[in-house]
Amino acid sequence: VDRASLSLNRTMSAIRSREFHILGLTALRAKNSVERLRGSLIAVSALFGGFGAAFTLKGLMDYSDTYKEVGNRLRVVKGEAEDLAGVEKRIFDIAQRSRSTYAATGILYSRIANSARRLLITQEDVARVTETIQKSFLVGGSTPIEATQSAIQLSQGIASNRLQGDELRSVLENPALGQLLANKISGGDIGKLRKMAAEGELTAGVIVRAFKAASGEIDALFAKTSETIGQAFIKLDNALLRYIGTNDK
């Protein structure tokens, strides 16, 4: 893994940033979104060499669509005084700090934010809980794919105001995370946690308060973890998605 990390670092250090900057400016000056995306493809190819060539125009369009879909979710739940671009930047920062996908982070944030008024929590609380949840999956040993799937499953439980069934299983499949929630909710008893879920007691409020209470503990555990190659590429993918999404206007 150390050799792989060194190789990745060497690759990143070889990025031709000046060429990317020039081509990126050319893309931004294009007259329409299709031309900008084509310019983005050329710029990304310059930035990553052969790596960028793997992205077709359709692939870049998919990135743009994903960014817009998340943006549409955020537009519905953002505060009246909040700027959409600022909320999108907040989601991106949370995703990068927690080494999680932008799309899953945006979905999780939007579903918690949609319940914020009912849960009597602020937008700052929404952001904090979102980051804590994303970090908790990785602390528990989930792979990036597992973490993405679990975050979406958990967000569905929050949106429906009940964590049970598949949503609960997605959490308990990560033993460390399941135990952490049990510690905060049911006195450390997993069996009791399951019973509470079966009786409909694991509401969105209970779950959100548990993660909020565990945020300091999760941060401390997360700080002890090392970034994997897979997580590094998740962050790279997020950056590419944001670059394309913000320039396809």
Side-chain angles (χ1 to χ4, degrees):
V1 173
D2 289 339
R3 286 196 297 271
S5 297
L6 181 59
S7 177
L8 179 61
N9 288 336
R10 286 173 177 169
T11 300
M12 294 304 154
S13 67
I15 286 175
R16 289 169 285 178
S17 58
R18 177 174 175 77
E19 186 175 2
F20 171 71
H21 178 69
I22 294 172
L23 290 170
L25 288 177
T26 301
L28 289 174
R29 292 180 184 130
K31 294 181 180 179
N32 57 60
S33 62
V34 173
E35 289 303 317
R36 281 198 294 271
L37 284 171
R38 286 176 178 161
S40 297
L41 175 58
I42 296 171
V44 170
S45 296
L47 180 61
F48 298 114
F51 182 77
F55 295 96
T56 62
L57 180 59
K58 180 182 182 302
L60 291 176
M61 294 276 194
D62 288 342
Y63 273 85
S64 177
D65 286 346
T66 296
Y67 198 83
K68 288 177 181 176
E69 288 165 4
V70 174
N72 287 337
R73 288 176 177 272
L74 299 177
R75 186 176 285 108
V76 173
V77 300
K78 72 179 183 67
E80 292 182 4
E82 289 185 299
D83 175 62
L84 178 61
V87 179
E88 290 174 332
K89 178 61 164 57
R90 182 185 305 157
I91 300 304
F92 175 75
D93 289 343
I94 291 172
Q96 296 300 78
R97 286 195 299 267
S98 61
R99 310 172 206 154
S100 307
T101 67
Y102 177 86
T105 303
I107 291 171
L108 179 60
Y109 179 96
S110 66
R111 286 177 172 167
I112 297 174
N114 197 47
S115 304
R117 184 172 298 177
R118 171 166 50 84
L119 299 176
L120 301 177
I121 58 176
T122 66
Q123 293 299 314
E124 288 72 21
D125 290 332
V126 172
R128 184 70 174 125
V129 170
T130 299
E131 183 167 341
T132 297
I133 290 174
Q134 292 292 56
K135 286 180 175 179
S136 69
F137 287 117
L138 297 186
V139 165
S142 295
T143 66
I145 293 176
E146 291 170 342
T148 296
Q149 294 171 339
S150 296
I152 292 175
Q153 289 271 33
L154 179 58
S155 72
Q156 289 173 347
I158 291 173
S160 65
N161 200 31
R162 290 290 185 276
L163 185 66
Q164 50 191 192
D166 290 339
E167 290 83 5
L168 179 63
R169 278 192 291 274
S170 73
V171 172
L172 296 184
E173 283 173 357
N174 186 319
L177 176 56
Q179 189 58 58
L180 183 145
L181 279 180
N183 291 343
K184 298 298 180 184
I185 297 172
S186 59
D189 189 334
I190 294 288
K192 183 178 178 181
L193 188 70
R194 292 181 185 275
K195 183 179 179 182
M196 291 177 66
E199 295 175 353
E201 296 178 12
L202 292 187
T203 63
V206 170
I207 296 301
V208 167
R209 284 192 294 272
F211 276 108
K212 186 177 178 182
S215 60
E217 182 180 348
I218 292 296
D219 280 346
L221 292 171
F222 188 82
K224 296 178 181 179
T225 66
S226 298
E227 184 174 285
T228 66
I229 296 295
Q231 291 165 7
F233 274 102
I234 288 290
K235 292 168 65 176
L236 184 61
D237 190 68
N238 289 341
L240 178 59
L241 185 148
R242 178 169 169 77
Y243 172 76
I244 294 169
T246 55
N247 288 320
D248 182 28
K249 302 291 187 181

